[in-house]
C-alpha cells in the first residue's frame, strides 16, 4: 500500500489498527472521530483531525489516502462504508497484522481487521468489514459473512457457516458444521455444538438460548 491511511475511530480499536498499519510500514495520516473533545488531540503521535463526515478530509480518500473503519458499532460502520462507496467510490482497506496468517487459498473481502496471531485456513472465506481479534482460528471451509465480530482466542472449526452481523465473544468454540444465523450473539467462553437461529443469543457449555 503506497498511500497513507486515515482511520475512522480514535479509540482502542483505532489504536490497534494504527499499530497494524505501522507494522506493515504504512503511514497513518490521522484519525477521524465524532467526539469533538478529541479533535486536535494527539493519540500515539497521530492527530485526531475532525469528524468522520468532515468533507475536507473525506476528499483525500481515494486520491491521496486510503481509509480504514475502526468502529465496532455495526450501524455506524455501515453508514461510513456507504459514504466511502457511494460518495468516494472506494472500499476501506484491510488491516492485517504481520504476525497473523491468512492462507493464500483463503478469501477475504474489504475493510477487515485481523489481529495478532489470527489464522485463516485454506478455503476459509471472510466477507467485508469483519473484526477478527487476537489468536482467533478460522478453520478450513469456514465461511463468515459481512460485519462479523470474533473475540480473542475463539476457535471457529471447519465448515462452520456464519451469516452477517454475528457477534462472537472471546474464547468461544464453534464445532464443525454448525450454522450461525444473521445477527446472532454468542457469549464469551461458550461452546456451540448446535446451529443458532438468526437474532438469537446463546451462552454456556454447551451453549443454550438466553431468554430476553
Amino acid at each position: 500500500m503506497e498511500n497513507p491511511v486515515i482511520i475512522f475511530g480514535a479509540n482502542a480499536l483505532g489504536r490497534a489498527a494504527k499499530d497494524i498499519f505501522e507494522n506493515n510500514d504504512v503511514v497513518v495520516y490521522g484519525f477521524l472521530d465524532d467526539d469533538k473533545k478529541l479533535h486536535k488531540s494527539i493519540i500515539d503521535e497521530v492527530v485526531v483531525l475532525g469528524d468522520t463526515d468532515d468533507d475536507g478530509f473525506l476528499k483525500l480518500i481515494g486520491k491521496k489516502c486510503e481509509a480504514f473503519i475502526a468502529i465496532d458499532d455495526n450501524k455506524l460502520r455501515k453508514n461510513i462504508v456507504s459514504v466511502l462507496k457511494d460518495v468516494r467510490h472506494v472500499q476501506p482497506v484491510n488491516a492485517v497484522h504481520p504476525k497473523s496468517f491468512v492462507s493464500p487459498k483463503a478469501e477475504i473481502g474489504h475493510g477487515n481487521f485481523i489481529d495478532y496471531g489470527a489464522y485463516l485456513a485454506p478455503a476459509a472465506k471472510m466477507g467485508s468489514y469483519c473484526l477478527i481479534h487476537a489468536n482467533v482460528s478460522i478453520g478450513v471451509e469456514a465461511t463468515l459473512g459481512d460485519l462479523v465480530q470474533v473475540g480473542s482466542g475463539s476457535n471457529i472449526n471447519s465448515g462452520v457457516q456464519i451469516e452477517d452481523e454475528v457477534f462472537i465473544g472471546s474464547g468461544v468454540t464453534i464445532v464443525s458444521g454448525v450454522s450461525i444465523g444473521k445477527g446472532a450473539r454468542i457469549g464469551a467462553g461458550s461452546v456451540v455444538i448446535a446451529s443458532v437461529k438468526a437474532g438469537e443469543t446463546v451462552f454456556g457449555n454447551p451453549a443454550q438460548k438466553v431468554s430476553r
Side-chain angles (χ1 to χ4, degrees):
M1 188 189 308
E2 295 182 0
N3 288 336
V5 176
I6 292 176
I7 297 175
F8 290 72
N11 47 34
L13 184 58
R15 295 175 77 170
K18 175 183 177 291
D19 184 67
I20 288 173
F21 285 119
E22 291 179 344
N23 274 298
N24 285 309
D25 296 321
V26 176
V27 173
V28 175
Y29 183 84
F31 293 103
L32 295 177
D33 197 286
D34 291 332
D35 184 350
K36 296 189 183 303
K37 293 179 181 178
L38 295 177
H39 293 179
K40 307 306 179 186
S41 66
I42 304 294
I43 297 177
D44 297 338
E45 301 177 349
V46 171
V47 68
V48 181
L49 302 165
D51 291 320
T52 58
D53 60 356
D54 189 313
D55 194 54
F57 294 109
L58 291 179
K59 286 179 178 178
L60 298 175
I61 295 171
K63 294 181 178 180
K64 297 182 179 180
C65 292
E66 306 295 339
F68 181 78
I69 306 169
I71 295 170
D72 60 8
D73 182 292
N74 278 344
K75 183 178 179 181
L76 292 177
R77 285 173 71 80
K78 286 191 283 189
N79 287 343
I80 295 171
V81 167
S82 293
V83 170
L84 293 177
K85 290 171 63 177
D86 298 341
V87 179
R88 301 306 309 153
H89 308 295
V90 297
Q91 287 273 16
V93 295
N94 290 311
V96 181
H97 200 287
K99 291 189 177 179
S100 64
F101 180 80
V102 178
S103 168
K105 296 180 174 62
E107 298 178 21
I108 64 173
H110 303 279
N112 294 298
F113 173 88
I114 301 175
D115 207 353
Y116 178 95
Y119 171 70
L120 272 72
K125 295 182 180 180
M126 182 188 301
S128 296
Y129 328 121
C130 297
L131 303 176
I132 309 301
H133 291 282
N135 300 313
V136 167
S137 177
I138 299 174
V140 174
E141 296 183 354
T143 300
L144 282 66
D146 297 337
L147 296 155
V148 174
Q149 299 186 42
V150 185
S152 298
S154 290
N155 291 301
I156 297 169
N157 290 335
S158 62
V160 170
Q161 305 290 309
I162 298 175
E163 295 186 16
D164 296 348
E165 300 184 43
V166 169
F167 175 87
I168 298 169
S170 298
V172 169
T173 296
I174 303 178
V175 303
S176 296
V178 165
S179 297
I180 310 295
K182 181 178 180 179
R185 299 179 66 84
I186 315 297
S190 296
V191 177
V192 182
I193 63 172
S195 293
V196 179
K197 294 179 181 178
E200 281 189 347
T201 298
V202 301
F203 176 73
N205 181 8
Q208 303 288 328
K209 182 179 178 181
V210 176
S211 299
R212 294 185 178 181

